[in-house]
Amino acid sequence: MSKDLKARTKLVHGGTRRSQYGEMSEAIFLTQGFAYPTAEAAEARFIEAGEDEFIYARYGNPTVAMFEERIALLEGAEDAFATASGMAAVNGALMSMLKAGDHIVSSRALFGSCLYIVENILPRFGVEVTLVDGRDNDAWAEAVREDTKLVFFEAISNPTLEIIDIAAVSAIAKRVGATVVVDNVFATPVFQRSLDLGADVVIYSATKHIDGQGRCLGGVVLGTKDYIRGTLEPYLKHTGGALSPFNAWVMLKGLETLDLRCRAQAESAAKITEALSVHPKINRCIYPGHESHPQVDLARRQMEKGGTVLSFEVAGGQAGSFAFLNALRVVLISNNLGDSKSIATHPATTTHQRLDDTQKAILGITPGLVRLSVGLEDTDDLIADLEGALAAAAV
Ligand SMILES: *Cc1c(COP(=O)(O)O)cnc(C)c1O
């Protein structure tokens, strides 16, 4: 498919492979293996598989390939490898490139499982990890050494929505030839082009916006053909983090509406921020697209829109935020994000519970902090629900 077509066209048609039946909706090739016409054909395929030749679903599958090609077209990447979950993608991207004795630099404000990999798993295998405040470009410049192998960060951190300057950090990494790996879940592939800004490898948890309707786990790693086929694929195909064909099909259908959903959700998130940032029971409201965000200039330079998630601090600490959460009628209490259903999360007691008080304080995870993933409900209904719950919360 032509790379010149616009994003929404790519998201509907990209990567499609039609069988002899000419089906409109992409087929689910729910098969582990593939039969060869002859023994010679099997031998040839094991020597080198052609573009649309498959061997075993742990290596690749036609439905999974459709998903990989479609998301690669959107991201503007040469290639992609789909994984069973976002964490299989993060683990695969990092482990496939690292060995004992290597040094990496990572931002400290990471999704809990990402932090576990860089803080607990990698050091067990002899990888030296330096954690930095990702917002501080000088800290990156100080931490990156001649022998630094890669840098890793979430472009927008969870849950306090701090923004990392991808172009600046990439320039620092490039000086020593380090690979730049970006987890781009919060920014979404719709609003941010991390590869254009200097990243080498981009990762998504497809569980979030790409499915967008709370059904399946999935993930994807995007980068150059050399990296994806030469470095990542050998690691992933032998360690088993493959995406199931059924889940790939769900993600493919999710991609068709991704742009529309993200735009509608971001528009709602911006309106909700306007309403909450002046509310007397909200101490602070954080949204990358709002002028009150301390890094709003960077946000506007780096992202087309502020994303679909905001965080805010309810007055009255944990009692205040719990009373607020318990009074919500439309917004659900859960811990996913990017879903069509709006979701409120209390990071201090759920997703970030494992951190001690000092770590929480460093990351700004206060007892009153609530993260809101804005869904597809009517914006006025959402604002009424949030304001009603704030009124009900005794502070
Ligand atoms: C959810 C998430 C992940 C992990 O994705 P799973 O699909 O749950 O494995 C990684 N990074 C970020 C930023 C996430 O939000």
Side-chain angles (χ1 to χ4, degrees):
M1 152 167 252
S2 166
K3 294 197 172 17
D4 299 333
L5 291 163
K6 300 273 196 291
R8 271 161 63 172
T9 311
K10 291 174 179 168
L11 284 171
V12 172
H13 292 288
T16 301
R17 286 156 165 77
R18 289 206 165 79
S19 78
Q20 70 271 34
Y21 301 113
E23 64 279 354
M24 277 294 287
S25 173
E26 296 76 0
I28 308 175
F29 291 97
L30 204 56
T31 180
Q32 304 154 338
F34 303 85
Y36 310 99
T38 61
E40 288 79 3
E43 181 188 27
R45 203 173 297 182
F46 269 77
I47 293 169
E48 189 172 3
E51 179 77 354
D52 259 311
E53 294 182 341
F54 299 91
I55 292 174
Y56 190 56
R58 178 149 45 73
Y59 300 10
N61 165 286
T63 311
V64 176
M66 289 193 247
F67 168 65
E68 291 170 341
E69 199 172 317
R70 192 169 289 181
I71 181 81
L73 271 167
L74 175 67
E75 191 73 29
E78 284 180 17
D79 213 340
F81 198 97
T83 56
S85 68
M87 286 324 301
V90 173
N91 183 63
L94 298 179
M95 290 293 267
S96 66
M97 272 191 276
L98 295 172
K99 60 177 187 329
D102 284 343
H103 174 245
I104 74 162
V105 182
S106 169
S107 60
R108 186 177 290 115
L110 292 176
F111 181 73
S113 301
C114 295
L115 189 63
Y116 185 80
I117 289 180
V118 301
E119 243 192 342
N120 298 65
I121 298 180
L122 292 180
R124 285 206 326 246
F125 292 87
V127 175
E128 191 190 339
V129 179
T130 306
L131 294 178
V132 296
D133 177 339
R135 291 167 300 183
D136 184 350
N137 292 347
D138 294 339
W140 284 102
E142 237 165 74
V144 170
R145 315 188 305 223
E146 284 301 319
D147 66 338
T148 300
K149 191 75 178 285
L150 69 81
V151 303
F152 174 64
F153 57 88
E154 290 169 18
I156 299 182
S157 75
N158 171 33
T160 45
L161 311 176
E162 295 166 356
I163 302 161
I164 291 180
D165 188 334
I166 300 176
V169 174
S170 297
I172 292 165
K174 292 281 149 67
R175 288 208 289 265
V176 299
T179 304
V180 179
V181 182
V182 178
D183 179 331
N184 204 37
V185 166
F186 275 67
T188 81
V190 171
F191 298 136
Q192 185 171 286
R193 292 272 171 276
S194 300
L195 295 175
D196 292 347
L197 293 163
D200 300 299
V201 176
V202 177
I203 298 168
Y204 291 101
S205 162
T207 313
K208 311 295 165 55
H209 304 83
I210 294 174
D211 174 359
Q213 286 150 90
R215 300 162 294 193
C216 294
L217 291 175
V220 66
V221 184
L222 301 114
T224 62
K225 206 165 209 60
D226 265 3
Y227 165 72
I228 296 291
R229 297 302 149 194
T231 303
L232 182 75
E233 183 189 291
Y235 179 85
L236 277 171
K237 81 178 187 186
H238 294 303
T239 54
L243 180 64
S244 96
F246 181 81
N247 289 4
W249 179 81
V250 173
M251 299 305 180
L252 257 176
K253 301 317 268 181
L255 285 180
E256 290 183 4
T257 56
L258 178 72
D259 186 279
L260 293 174
R261 286 185 285 106
C262 285
R263 285 179 197 284
Q265 287 167 244
E267 196 178 311
S268 257
K271 284 187 185 150
I272 291 168
T273 303
E274 289 293 338
L276 293 191
S277 55
V278 295
H279 196 285
K281 284 188 180 173
I282 297 288
N283 292 340
R284 67 177 174 141
C285 190
I286 315 164
Y287 181 62
H290 193 259
E291 65 220 13
S292 62
H293 193 287
Q295 297 167 289
V296 67
D297 292 339
L298 173 60
R300 288 185 179 154
R301 205 160 66 233
Q302 192 160 287
M303 301 169 69
E304 193 194 320
K305 290 225 157 49
T308 67
V309 179
L310 58 131
S311 291
F312 48 86
E313 194 172 307
V314 179
Q318 183 167 320
S321 55
F322 271 32
F324 162 76
L325 289 165
N326 291 335
L328 290 166
R329 295 287 168 265
V330 176
V331 177
L332 301 168
I333 303 170
S334 189
N335 42 262
N336 193 15
L337 62 101
D339 200 287
S340 57
K341 296 178 173 68
S342 291
I343 293 171
T345 310
H346 188 253
T349 55
T350 60
T351 53
H352 293 70
Q353 190 188 102
R354 194 171 72 80
L355 303 183
D356 63 35
D357 288 347
T358 320
Q359 287 172 304
K360 282 179 193 163
I362 290 172
L363 296 177
I365 301 167
T366 55
L369 192 76
V370 170
R371 184 187 80 189
L372 180 69
S373 169
V374 178
L376 286 172
E377 302 93 339
D378 184 277
T379 311
D380 293 339
D381 285 345
L382 289 176
I383 291 174
D385 191 39
L386 294 163
E387 288 180 344
L390 284 169
V395 180

